[in-house]
Amino acid sequence: MFSSDRFDRQSILILDTGPIRELVTYHAVYRFGFSKLRQELKQLTSVENYQNFSEFLATFRKKMTSTSVIAELHWWIRETDHHGQIRLWTRVREEFERMGMDEDAVTLLAMDIELLAKLGPTDVSLLEIARRNVQQHPVILTVDGQLQMECRKAQIFSRSLSEACMGVI
């Protein structure tokens, strides 16, 4: 469904918290039977959407995220019981291994203070990672409309998780 020439294999996909959380939630519901999390699924609501998303991910040679994203995942995962936390963190690690995910840290002192006040440290770190990798044509995948607007302003490609799940990219 995805055209391989739309994003060449030289592109880097930079993942925000939302898409990773959605992917982990999908597996938690359908693989682990965490039915209480089903209501949290917004985009990966069918096998077709999951397959489209998987195809989208496969079009990128390299995947990256920010250590700030890991911190945001922690705030979500810590709401489950201890056994659930272990299973969810294991799933996060498995997904990172499967994708060959790289993590990058952006220090507070490297962040633009205006953007930091407007977007917060996670979104600013993703923008900075994209700037650091501009020669590799970065694409930020997010569920955050405000981050997508900032990407447009900074002339950084971005895609929403809904676009990736619908196969319209």
mmCIF file with all atom_site columns, all heavy atoms in Angstrom, residues 7-32:
data_model
loop_
_atom_site.group_PDB
_atom_site.id
_atom_site.type_symbol
_atom_site.label_atom_id
_atom_site.label_alt_id
_atom_site.label_comp_id
_atom_site.label_asym_id
_atom_site.label_entity_id
_atom_site.label_seq_id
_atom_site.pdbx_PDB_ins_code
_atom_site.Cartn_x
_atom_site.Cartn_y
_atom_site.Cartn_z
_atom_site.occupancy
_atom_site.B_iso_or_equiv
_atom_site.pdbx_formal_charge
_atom_site.auth_seq_id
_atom_site.auth_comp_id
_atom_site.auth_asym_id
_atom_site.auth_atom_id
_atom_site.pdbx_PDB_model_num
ATOM 1   N N   . PHE A 1 7  ? 9.059  7.736   0.466  1.00 0.00 ? 7  PHE A N   1
ATOM 2   C CA  . PHE A 1 7  ? 10.152 7.979   1.408  1.00 0.00 ? 7  PHE A CA  1
ATOM 3   C C   . PHE A 1 7  ? 11.244 7.002   1.025  1.00 0.00 ? 7  PHE A C   1
ATOM 4   O O   . PHE A 1 7  ? 11.028 5.799   1.091  1.00 0.00 ? 7  PHE A O   1
ATOM 5   C CB  . PHE A 1 7  ? 9.734  7.710   2.859  1.00 0.00 ? 7  PHE A CB  1
ATOM 6   C CG  . PHE A 1 7  ? 8.615  8.588   3.334  1.00 0.00 ? 7  PHE A CG  1
ATOM 7   C CD1 . PHE A 1 7  ? 7.368  8.066   3.574  1.00 0.00 ? 7  PHE A CD1 1
ATOM 8   C CD2 . PHE A 1 7  ? 8.813  9.938   3.527  1.00 0.00 ? 7  PHE A CD2 1
ATOM 9   C CE1 . PHE A 1 7  ? 6.328  8.863   4.011  1.00 0.00 ? 7  PHE A CE1 1
ATOM 10  C CE2 . PHE A 1 7  ? 7.781  10.750  3.960  1.00 0.00 ? 7  PHE A CE2 1
ATOM 11  C CZ  . PHE A 1 7  ? 6.537  10.207  4.203  1.00 0.00 ? 7  PHE A CZ  1
ATOM 12  N N   . ASP A 1 8  ? 12.390 7.516   0.629  1.00 0.00 ? 8  ASP A N   1
ATOM 13  C CA  . ASP A 1 8  ? 13.438 6.569   0.246  1.00 0.00 ? 8  ASP A CA  1
ATOM 14  C C   . ASP A 1 8  ? 14.038 5.936   1.488  1.00 0.00 ? 8  ASP A C   1
ATOM 15  O O   . ASP A 1 8  ? 13.844 6.398   2.602  1.00 0.00 ? 8  ASP A O   1
ATOM 16  C CB  . ASP A 1 8  ? 14.507 7.225   -0.639 1.00 0.00 ? 8  ASP A CB  1
ATOM 17  C CG  . ASP A 1 8  ? 15.291 8.328   0.040  1.00 0.00 ? 8  ASP A CG  1
ATOM 18  O OD1 . ASP A 1 8  ? 15.440 8.281   1.279  1.00 0.00 ? 8  ASP A OD1 1
ATOM 19  O OD2 . ASP A 1 8  ? 15.765 9.232   -0.655 1.00 0.00 ? 8  ASP A OD2 1
ATOM 20  N N   . ARG A 1 9  ? 14.732 4.850   1.284  1.00 0.00 ? 9  ARG A N   1
ATOM 21  C CA  . ARG A 1 9  ? 15.290 4.093   2.409  1.00 0.00 ? 9  ARG A CA  1
ATOM 22  C C   . ARG A 1 9  ? 16.390 4.864   3.136  1.00 0.00 ? 9  ARG A C   1
ATOM 23  O O   . ARG A 1 9  ? 16.905 4.409   4.128  1.00 0.00 ? 9  ARG A O   1
ATOM 24  C CB  . ARG A 1 9  ? 15.825 2.740   1.919  1.00 0.00 ? 9  ARG A CB  1
ATOM 25  C CG  . ARG A 1 9  ? 14.760 1.802   1.401  1.00 0.00 ? 9  ARG A CG  1
ATOM 26  C CD  . ARG A 1 9  ? 13.973 1.110   2.455  1.00 0.00 ? 9  ARG A CD  1
ATOM 27  N NE  . ARG A 1 9  ? 14.807 0.262   3.261  1.00 0.00 ? 9  ARG A NE  1
ATOM 28  C CZ  . ARG A 1 9  ? 14.463 -0.175  4.459  1.00 0.00 ? 9  ARG A CZ  1
ATOM 29  N NH1 . ARG A 1 9  ? 13.316 0.136   4.977  1.00 0.00 ? 9  ARG A NH1 1
ATOM 30  N NH2 . ARG A 1 9  ? 15.270 -0.936  5.146  1.00 0.00 ? 9  ARG A NH2 1
ATOM 31  N N   . GLN A 1 10 ? 16.746 6.037   2.653  1.00 0.00 ? 10 GLN A N   1
ATOM 32  C CA  . GLN A 1 10 ? 17.723 6.865   3.349  1.00 0.00 ? 10 GLN A CA  1
ATOM 33  C C   . GLN A 1 10 ? 17.068 7.687   4.454  1.00 0.00 ? 10 GLN A C   1
ATOM 34  O O   . GLN A 1 10 ? 17.748 8.269   5.284  1.00 0.00 ? 10 GLN A O   1
ATOM 35  C CB  . GLN A 1 10 ? 18.433 7.801   2.360  1.00 0.00 ? 10 GLN A CB  1
ATOM 36  C CG  . GLN A 1 10 ? 19.217 7.071   1.295  1.00 0.00 ? 10 GLN A CG  1
ATOM 37  C CD  . GLN A 1 10 ? 20.253 6.138   1.887  1.00 0.00 ? 10 GLN A CD  1
ATOM 38  O OE1 . GLN A 1 10 ? 21.045 6.531   2.733  1.00 0.00 ? 10 GLN A OE1 1
ATOM 39  N NE2 . GLN A 1 10 ? 20.235 4.885   1.457  1.00 0.00 ? 10 GLN A NE2 1
ATOM 40  N N   . SER A 1 11 ? 15.745 7.769   4.445  1.00 0.00 ? 11 SER A N   1
ATOM 41  C CA  . SER A 1 11 ? 15.028 8.568   5.429  1.00 0.00 ? 11 SER A CA  1
ATOM 42  C C   . SER A 1 11 ? 15.084 7.944   6.815  1.00 0.00 ? 11 SER A C   1
ATOM 43  O O   . SER A 1 11 ? 15.117 6.727   6.966  1.00 0.00 ? 11 SER A O   1
ATOM 44  C CB  . SER A 1 11 ? 13.565 8.724   5.022  1.00 0.00 ? 11 SER A CB  1
ATOM 45  O OG  . SER A 1 11 ? 13.445 9.419   3.817  1.00 0.00 ? 11 SER A OG  1
ATOM 46  N N   . ILE A 1 12 ? 15.057 8.816   7.796  1.00 0.00 ? 12 ILE A N   1
ATOM 47  C CA  . ILE A 1 12 ? 15.001 8.403   9.194  1.00 0.00 ? 12 ILE A CA  1
ATOM 48  C C   . ILE A 1 12 ? 13.607 8.706   9.714  1.00 0.00 ? 12 ILE A C   1
ATOM 49  O O   . ILE A 1 12 ? 13.095 9.805   9.518  1.00 0.00 ? 12 ILE A O   1
ATOM 50  C CB  . ILE A 1 12 ? 16.030 9.167   10.045 1.00 0.00 ? 12 ILE A CB  1
ATOM 51  C CG1 . ILE A 1 12 ? 17.445 8.796   9.654  1.00 0.00 ? 12 ILE A CG1 1
ATOM 52  C CG2 . ILE A 1 12 ? 15.806 8.911   11.526 1.00 0.00 ? 12 ILE A CG2 1
ATOM 53  C CD1 . ILE A 1 12 ? 18.493 9.583   10.408 1.00 0.00 ? 12 ILE A CD1 1
ATOM 54  N N   . LEU A 1 13 ? 13.004 7.744   10.386 1.00 0.00 ? 13 LEU A N   1
ATOM 55  C CA  . LEU A 1 13 ? 11.727 7.963   11.045 1.00 0.00 ? 13 LEU A CA  1
ATOM 56  C C   . LEU A 1 13 ? 11.998 8.240   12.516 1.00 0.00 ? 13 LEU A C   1
ATOM 57  O O   . LEU A 1 13 ? 12.651 7.444   13.191 1.00 0.00 ? 13 LEU A O   1
ATOM 58  C CB  . LEU A 1 13 ? 10.819 6.746   10.894 1.00 0.00 ? 13 LEU A CB  1
ATOM 59  C CG  . LEU A 1 13 ? 9.426  6.896   11.501 1.00 0.00 ? 13 LEU A CG  1
ATOM 60  C CD1 . LEU A 1 13 ? 8.644  7.993   10.785 1.00 0.00 ? 13 LEU A CD1 1
ATOM 61  C CD2 . LEU A 1 13 ? 8.674  5.577   11.448 1.00 0.00 ? 13 LEU A CD2 1
ATOM 62  N N   . ILE A 1 14 ? 11.498 9.367   13.002 1.00 0.00 ? 14 ILE A N   1
ATOM 63  C CA  . ILE A 1 14 ? 11.656 9.752   14.403 1.00 0.00 ? 14 ILE A CA  1
ATOM 64  C C   . ILE A 1 14 ? 10.283 9.609   15.057 1.00 0.00 ? 14 ILE A C   1
ATOM 65  O O   . ILE A 1 14 ? 9.331  10.286  14.657 1.00 0.00 ? 14 ILE A O   1
ATOM 66  C CB  . ILE A 1 14 ? 12.195 11.192  14.526 1.00 0.00 ? 14 ILE A CB  1
ATOM 67  C CG1 . ILE A 1 14 ? 13.550 11.304  13.799 1.00 0.00 ? 14 ILE A CG1 1
ATOM 68  C CG2 . ILE A 1 14 ? 12.312 11.590  15.991 1.00 0.00 ? 14 ILE A CG2 1
ATOM 69  C CD1 . ILE A 1 14 ? 14.050 12.726  13.651 1.00 0.00 ? 14 ILE A CD1 1
ATOM 70  N N   . LEU A 1 15 ? 10.188 8.719   16.027 1.00 0.00 ? 15 LEU A N   1
ATOM 71  C CA  . LEU A 1 15 ? 8.898  8.407   16.633 1.00 0.00 ? 15 LEU A CA  1
ATOM 72  C C   . LEU A 1 15 ? 8.661  9.176   17.923 1.00 0.00 ? 15 LEU A C   1
ATOM 73  O O   . LEU A 1 15 ? 9.495  9.177   18.833 1.00 0.00 ? 15 LEU A O   1
ATOM 74  C CB  . LEU A 1 15 ? 8.789  6.908   16.926 1.00 0.00 ? 15 LEU A CB  1
ATOM 75  C CG  . LEU A 1 15 ? 8.603  6.039   15.688 1.00 0.00 ? 15 LEU A CG  1
ATOM 76  C CD1 . LEU A 1 15 ? 9.945  5.534   15.196 1.00 0.00 ? 15 LEU A CD1 1
ATOM 77  C CD2 . LEU A 1 15 ? 7.679  4.893   15.978 1.00 0.00 ? 15 LEU A CD2 1
ATOM 78  N N   . ASP A 1 16 ? 7.503  9.795   17.993 1.00 0.00 ? 16 ASP A N   1
ATOM 79  C CA  . ASP A 1 16 ? 7.014  10.468  19.190 1.00 0.00 ? 16 ASP A CA  1
ATOM 80  C C   . ASP A 1 16 ? 6.395  9.404   20.112 1.00 0.00 ? 16 ASP A C   1
ATOM 81  O O   . ASP A 1 16 ? 6.247  8.230   19.732 1.00 0.00 ? 16 ASP A O   1
ATOM 82  C CB  . ASP A 1 16 ? 5.984  11.520  18.775 1.00 0.00 ? 16 ASP A CB  1
ATOM 83  C CG  . ASP A 1 16 ? 5.643  12.525  19.864 1.00 0.00 ? 16 ASP A CG  1
ATOM 84  O OD1 . ASP A 1 16 ? 6.224  12.453  20.974 1.00 0.00 ? 16 ASP A OD1 1
ATOM 85  O OD2 . ASP A 1 16 ? 4.783  13.392  19.616 1.00 0.00 ? 16 ASP A OD2 1
ATOM 86  N N   . THR A 1 17 ? 5.989  9.809   21.281 1.00 0.00 ? 17 THR A N   1
ATOM 87  C CA  . THR A 1 17 ? 5.436  8.894   22.273 1.00 0.00 ? 17 THR A CA  1
ATOM 88  C C   . THR A 1 17 ? 4.156  8.211   21.795 1.00 0.00 ? 17 THR A C   1
ATOM 89  O O   . THR A 1 17 ? 3.985  7.002   21.961 1.00 0.00 ? 17 THR A O   1
ATOM 90  C CB  . THR A 1 17 ? 5.145  9.643   23.591 1.00 0.00 ? 17 THR A CB  1
ATOM 91  O OG1 . THR A 1 17 ? 6.305  10.381  23.970 1.00 0.00 ? 17 THR A OG1 1
ATOM 92  C CG2 . THR A 1 17 ? 4.748  8.683   24.695 1.00 0.00 ? 17 THR A CG2 1
ATOM 93  N N   . GLY A 1 18 ? 3.252  8.975   21.206 1.00 0.00 ? 18 GLY A N   1
ATOM 94  C CA  . GLY A 1 18 ? 1.939  8.453   20.832 1.00 0.00 ? 18 GLY A CA  1
ATOM 95  C C   . GLY A 1 18 ? 1.978  7.206   19.966 1.00 0.00 ? 18 GLY A C   1
ATOM 96  O O   . GLY A 1 18 ? 1.304  6.212   20.280 1.00 0.00 ? 18 GLY A O   1
ATOM 97  N N   . PRO A 1 19 ? 2.737  7.216   18.865 1.00 0.00 ? 19 PRO A N   1
ATOM 98  C CA  . PRO A 1 19 ? 2.783  6.013   18.026 1.00 0.00 ? 19 PRO A CA  1
ATOM 99  C C   . PRO A 1 19 ? 3.369  4.788   18.733 1.00 0.00 ? 19 PRO A C   1
ATOM 100 O O   . PRO A 1 19 ? 2.887  3.668   18.539 1.00 0.00 ? 19 PRO A O   1
ATOM 101 C CB  . PRO A 1 19 ? 3.662  6.434   16.841 1.00 0.00 ? 19 PRO A CB  1
ATOM 102 C CG  . PRO A 1 19 ? 3.482  7.913   16.766 1.00 0.00 ? 19 PRO A CG  1
ATOM 103 C CD  . PRO A 1 19 ? 3.360  8.356   18.199 1.00 0.00 ? 19 PRO A CD  1
ATOM 104 N N   . ILE A 1 20 ? 4.382  4.995   19.568 1.00 0.00 ? 20 ILE A N   1
ATOM 105 C CA  . ILE A 1 20 ? 4.966  3.866   20.307 1.00 0.00 ? 20 ILE A CA  1
ATOM 106 C C   . ILE A 1 20 ? 3.955  3.333   21.314 1.00 0.00 ? 20 ILE A C   1
ATOM 107 O O   . ILE A 1 20 ? 3.751  2.124   21.435 1.00 0.00 ? 20 ILE A O   1
ATOM 108 C CB  . ILE A 1 20 ? 6.281  4.276   21.000 1.00 0.00 ? 20 ILE A CB  1
ATOM 109 C CG1 . ILE A 1 20 ? 7.335  4.667   19.963 1.00 0.00 ? 20 ILE A CG1 1
ATOM 110 C CG2 . ILE A 1 20 ? 6.787  3.137   21.903 1.00 0.00 ? 20 ILE A CG2 1
ATOM 111 C CD1 . ILE A 1 20 ? 8.585  5.307   20.545 1.00 0.00 ? 20 ILE A CD1 1
ATOM 112 N N   . ARG A 1 21 ? 3.303  4.240   22.011 1.00 0.00 ? 21 ARG A N   1
ATOM 113 C CA  . ARG A 1 21 ? 2.295  3.837   23.001 1.00 0.00 ? 21 ARG A CA  1
ATOM 114 C C   . ARG A 1 21 ? 1.158  3.068   22.325 1.00 0.00 ? 21 ARG A C   1
ATOM 115 O O   . ARG A 1 21 ? 0.703  2.055   22.834 1.00 0.00 ? 21 ARG A O   1
ATOM 116 C CB  . ARG A 1 21 ? 1.771  5.076   23.718 1.00 0.00 ? 21 ARG A CB  1
ATOM 117 C CG  . ARG A 1 21 ? 0.726  4.765   24.741 1.00 0.00 ? 21 ARG A CG  1
ATOM 118 C CD  . ARG A 1 21 ? 0.311  5.988   25.498 1.00 0.00 ? 21 ARG A CD  1
ATOM 119 N NE  . ARG A 1 21 ? -0.870 5.705   26.278 1.00 0.00 ? 21 ARG A NE  1
ATOM 120 C CZ  . ARG A 1 21 ? -1.366 6.495   27.183 1.00 0.00 ? 21 ARG A CZ  1
ATOM 121 N NH1 . ARG A 1 21 ? -0.792 7.649   27.446 1.00 0.00 ? 21 ARG A NH1 1
ATOM 122 N NH2 . ARG A 1 21 ? -2.441 6.164   27.848 1.00 0.00 ? 21 ARG A NH2 1
ATOM 123 N N   . GLU A 1 22 ? 0.720  3.544   21.168 1.00 0.00 ? 22 GLU A N   1
ATOM 124 C CA  . GLU A 1 22 ? -0.361 2.867   20.444 1.00 0.00 ? 22 GLU A CA  1
ATOM 125 C C   . GLU A 1 22 ? 0.056  1.457   20.039 1.00 0.00 ? 22 GLU A C   1
ATOM 126 O O   . GLU A 1 22 ? -0.719 0.507   20.165 1.00 0.00 ? 22 GLU A O   1
ATOM 127 C CB  . GLU A 1 22 ? -0.745 3.697   19.215 1.00 0.00 ? 22 GLU A CB  1
ATOM 128 C CG  . GLU A 1 22 ? -1.928 3.172   18.465 1.00 0.00 ? 22 GLU A CG  1
ATOM 129 C CD  . GLU A 1 22 ? -3.278 3.669   18.954 1.00 0.00 ? 22 GLU A CD  1
ATOM 130 O OE1 . GLU A 1 22 ? -3.332 4.472   19.910 1.00 0.00 ? 22 GLU A OE1 1
ATOM 131 O OE2 . GLU A 1 22 ? -4.295 3.247   18.383 1.00 0.00 ? 22 GLU A OE2 1
ATOM 132 N N   . LEU A 1 23 ? 1.272  1.310   19.557 1.00 0.00 ? 23 LEU A N   1
ATOM 133 C CA  . LEU A 1 23 ? 1.778  0.003   19.139 1.00 0.00 ? 23 LEU A CA  1
ATOM 134 C C   . LEU A 1 23 ? 1.867  -0.954  20.329 1.00 0.00 ? 23 LEU A C   1
ATOM 135 O O   . LEU A 1 23 ? 1.442  -2.109  20.244 1.00 0.00 ? 23 LEU A O   1
ATOM 136 C CB  . LEU A 1 23 ? 3.143  0.165   18.480 1.00 0.00 ? 23 LEU A CB  1
ATOM 137 C CG  . LEU A 1 23 ? 3.778  -1.068  17.872 1.00 0.00 ? 23 LEU A CG  1
ATOM 138 C CD1 . LEU A 1 23 ? 2.889  -1.681  16.800 1.00 0.00 ? 23 LEU A CD1 1
ATOM 139 C CD2 . LEU A 1 23 ? 5.139  -0.706  17.285 1.00 0.00 ? 23 LEU A CD2 1
ATOM 140 N N   . VAL A 1 24 ? 2.387  -0.475  21.428 1.00 0.00 ? 24 VAL A N   1
ATOM 141 C CA  . VAL A 1 24 ? 2.499  -1.310  22.628 1.00 0.00 ? 24 VAL A CA  1
ATOM 142 C C   . VAL A 1 24 ? 1.110  -1.659  23.159 1.00 0.00 ? 24 VAL A C   1
ATOM 143 O O   . VAL A 1 24 ? 0.860  -2.802  23.566 1.00 0.00 ? 24 VAL A O   1
ATOM 144 C CB  . VAL A 1 24 ? 3.364  -0.608  23.699 1.00 0.00 ? 24 VAL A CB  1
ATOM 145 C CG1 . VAL A 1 24 ? 3.303  -1.347  25.027 1.00 0.00 ? 24 VAL A CG1 1
ATOM 146 C CG2 . VAL A 1 24 ? 4.803  -0.483  23.215 1.00 0.00 ? 24 VAL A CG2 1
ATOM 147 N N   . THR A 1 25 ? 0.194  -0.704  23.131 1.00 0.00 ? 25 THR A N   1
ATOM 148 C CA  . THR A 1 25 ? -1.174 -0.956  23.580 1.00 0.00 ? 25 THR A CA  1
ATOM 149 C C   . THR A 1 25 ? -1.843 -2.016  22.713 1.00 0.00 ? 25 THR A C   1
ATOM 150 O O   . THR A 1 25 ? -2.532 -2.915  23.215 1.00 0.00 ? 25 THR A O   1
ATOM 151 C CB  . THR A 1 25 ? -2.002 0.345   23.568 1.00 0.00 ? 25 THR A CB  1
ATOM 152 O OG1 . THR A 1 25 ? -1.375 1.297   24.428 1.00 0.00 ? 25 THR A OG1 1
ATOM 153 C CG2 . THR A 1 25 ? -3.422 0.099   24.043 1.00 0.00 ? 25 THR A CG2 1
ATOM 154 N N   . TYR A 1 26 ? -1.641 -1.933  21.402 1.00 0.00 ? 26 TYR A N   1
ATOM 155 C CA  . TYR A 1 26 ? -2.199 -2.921  20.486 1.00 0.00 ? 26 TYR A CA  1
ATOM 156 C C   . TYR A 1 26 ? -1.766 -4.338  20.888 1.00 0.00 ? 26 TYR A C   1
ATOM 157 O O   . TYR A 1 26 ? -2.585 -5.250  20.991 1.00 0.00 ? 26 TYR A O   1
ATOM 158 C CB  . TYR A 1 26 ? -1.763 -2.614  19.047 1.00 0.00 ? 26 TYR A CB  1
ATOM 159 C CG  . TYR A 1 26 ? -2.291 -3.587  18.021 1.00 0.00 ? 26 TYR A CG  1
ATOM 160 C CD1 . TYR A 1 26 ? -3.537 -3.389  17.440 1.00 0.00 ? 26 TYR A CD1 1
ATOM 161 C CD2 . TYR A 1 26 ? -1.549 -4.702  17.638 1.00 0.00 ? 26 TYR A CD2 1
ATOM 162 C CE1 . TYR A 1 26 ? -4.031 -4.280  16.491 1.00 0.00 ? 26 TYR A CE1 1
ATOM 163 C CE2 . TYR A 1 26 ? -2.040 -5.593  16.695 1.00 0.00 ? 26 TYR A CE2 1
ATOM 164 C CZ  . TYR A 1 26 ? -3.274 -5.377  16.125 1.00 0.00 ? 26 TYR A CZ  1
ATOM 165 O OH  . TYR A 1 26 ? -3.758 -6.262  15.197 1.00 0.00 ? 26 TYR A OH  1
ATOM 166 N N   . HIS A 1 27 ? -0.480 -4.507  21.136 1.00 0.00 ? 27 HIS A N   1
ATOM 167 C CA  . HIS A 1 27 ? 0.023  -5.822  21.525 1.00 0.00 ? 27 HIS A CA  1
ATOM 168 C C   . HIS A 1 27 ? -0.445 -6.211  22.923 1.00 0.00 ? 27 HIS A C   1
ATOM 169 O O   . HIS A 1 27 ? -0.709 -7.392  23.182 1.00 0.00 ? 27 HIS A O   1
ATOM 170 C CB  . HIS A 1 27 ? 1.546  -5.865  21.431 1.00 0.00 ? 27 HIS A CB  1
ATOM 171 C CG  . HIS A 1 27 ? 2.027  -5.915  20.018 1.00 0.00 ? 27 HIS A CG  1
ATOM 172 N ND1 . HIS A 1 27 ? 1.933  -7.038  19.234 1.00 0.00 ? 27 HIS A ND1 1
ATOM 173 C CD2 . HIS A 1 27 ? 2.582  -4.957  19.241 1.00 0.00 ? 27 HIS A CD2 1
ATOM 174 C CE1 . HIS A 1 27 ? 2.414  -6.780  18.034 1.00 0.00 ? 27 HIS A CE1 1
ATOM 175 N NE2 . HIS A 1 27 ? 2.811  -5.529  18.010 1.00 0.00 ? 27 HIS A NE2 1
ATOM 176 N N   . ALA A 1 28 ? -0.564 -5.239  23.813 1.00 0.00 ? 28 ALA A N   1
ATOM 177 C CA  . ALA A 1 28 ? -1.048 -5.537  25.157 1.00 0.00 ? 28 ALA A CA  1
ATOM 178 C C   . ALA A 1 28 ? -2.482 -6.062  25.112 1.00 0.00 ? 28 ALA A C   1
ATOM 179 O O   . ALA A 1 28 ? -2.833 -7.005  25.829 1.00 0.00 ? 28 ALA A O   1
ATOM 180 C CB  . ALA A 1 28 ? -0.962 -4.291  26.038 1.00 0.00 ? 28 ALA A CB  1
ATOM 181 N N   . VAL A 1 29 ? -3.288 -5.476  24.259 1.00 0.00 ? 29 VAL A N   1
ATOM 182 C CA  . VAL A 1 29 ? -4.691 -5.899  24.149 1.00 0.00 ? 29 VAL A CA  1
ATOM 183 C C   . VAL A 1 29 ? -4.806 -7.242  23.440 1.00 0.00 ? 29 VAL A C   1
ATOM 184 O O   . VAL A 1 29 ? -5.459 -8.167  23.929 1.00 0.00 ? 29 VAL A O   1
ATOM 185 C CB  . VAL A 1 29 ? -5.528 -4.816  23.417 1.00 0.00 ? 29 VAL A CB  1
ATOM 186 C CG1 . VAL A 1 29 ? -6.915 -5.342  23.061 1.00 0.00 ? 29 VAL A CG1 1
ATOM 187 C CG2 . VAL A 1 29 ? -5.624 -3.556  24.272 1.00 0.00 ? 29 VAL A CG2 1
ATOM 188 N N   . TYR A 1 30 ? -4.159 -7.366  22.274 1.00 0.00 ? 30 TYR A N   1
ATOM 189 C CA  . TYR A 1 30 ? -4.383 -8.546  21.431 1.00 0.00 ? 30 TYR A CA  1
ATOM 190 C C   . TYR A 1 30 ? -3.427 -9.695  21.700 1.00 0.00 ? 30 TYR A C   1
ATOM 191 O O   . TYR A 1 30 ? -3.715 -10.833 21.340 1.00 0.00 ? 30 TYR A O   1
ATOM 192 C CB  . TYR A 1 30 ? -4.343 -8.152  19.957 1.00 0.00 ? 30 TYR A CB  1
ATOM 193 C CG  . TYR A 1 30 ? -5.507 -7.250  19.616 1.00 0.00 ? 30 TYR A CG  1
ATOM 194 C CD1 . TYR A 1 30 ? -5.304 -5.901  19.383 1.00 0.00 ? 30 TYR A CD1 1
ATOM 195 C CD2 . TYR A 1 30 ? -6.799 -7.746  19.579 1.00 0.00 ? 30 TYR A CD2 1
ATOM 196 C CE1 . TYR A 1 30 ? -6.381 -5.067  19.093 1.00 0.00 ? 30 TYR A CE1 1
ATOM 197 C CE2 . TYR A 1 30 ? -7.878 -6.932  19.304 1.00 0.00 ? 30 TYR A CE2 1
ATOM 198 C CZ  . TYR A 1 30 ? -7.662 -5.588  19.058 1.00 0.00 ? 30 TYR A CZ  1
ATOM 199 O OH  . TYR A 1 30 ? -8.723 -4.771  18.792 1.00 0.00 ? 30 TYR A OH  1
ATOM 200 N N   . ARG A 1 31 ? -2.317 -9.427  22.349 1.00 0.00 ? 31 ARG A N   1
ATOM 201 C CA  . ARG A 1 31 ? -1.369 -10.509 22.638 1.00 0.00 ? 31 ARG A CA  1
ATOM 202 C C   . ARG A 1 31 ? -1.406 -10.911 24.110 1.00 0.00 ? 31 ARG A C   1
ATOM 203 O O   . ARG A 1 31 ? -1.307 -12.085 24.440 1.00 0.00 ? 31 ARG A O   1
ATOM 204 C CB  . ARG A 1 31 ? 0.034  -10.051 22.250 1.00 0.00 ? 31 ARG A CB  1
ATOM 205 C CG  . ARG A 1 31 ? 1.077  -11.120 22.336 1.00 0.00 ? 31 ARG A CG  1
ATOM 206 C CD  . ARG A 1 31 ? 2.375  -10.627 21.746 1.00 0.00 ? 31 ARG A CD  1
ATOM 207 N NE  . ARG A 1 31 ? 3.419  -11.604 21.928 1.00 0.00 ? 31 ARG A NE  1
ATOM 208 C CZ  . ARG A 1 31 ? 4.694  -11.317 21.870 1.00 0.00 ? 31 ARG A CZ  1
ATOM 209 N NH1 . ARG A 1 31 ? 5.085  -10.092 21.611 1.00 0.00 ? 31 ARG A NH1 1
ATOM 210 N NH2 . ARG A 1 31 ? 5.587  -12.250 22.046 1.00 0.00 ? 31 ARG A NH2 1
ATOM 211 N N   . PHE A 1 32 ? -1.531 -9.898  24.995 1.00 0.00 ? 32 PHE A N   1
ATOM 212 C CA  . PHE A 1 32 ? -1.504 -10.186 26.430 1.00 0.00 ? 32 PHE A CA  1
ATOM 213 C C   . PHE A 1 32 ? -2.899 -10.263 27.042 1.00 0.00 ? 32 PHE A C   1
ATOM 214 O O   . PHE A 1 32 ? -3.042 -10.637 28.192 1.00 0.00 ? 32 PHE A O   1
ATOM 215 C CB  . PHE A 1 32 ? -0.716 -9.112  27.186 1.00 0.00 ? 32 PHE A CB  1
ATOM 216 C CG  . PHE A 1 32 ? 0.714  -8.934  26.752 1.00 0.00 ? 32 PHE A CG  1
ATOM 217 C CD1 . PHE A 1 32 ? 1.324  -7.699  26.875 1.00 0.00 ? 32 PHE A CD1 1
ATOM 218 C CD2 . PHE A 1 32 ? 1.464  -9.972  26.239 1.00 0.00 ? 32 PHE A CD2 1
ATOM 219 C CE1 . PHE A 1 32 ? 2.638  -7.504  26.489 1.00 0.00 ? 32 PHE A CE1 1
ATOM 220 C CE2 . PHE A 1 32 ? 2.770  -9.796  25.852 1.00 0.00 ? 32 PHE A CE2 1
ATOM 221 C CZ  . PHE A 1 32 ? 3.357  -8.552  25.977 1.00 0.00 ? 32 PHE A CZ  1
#
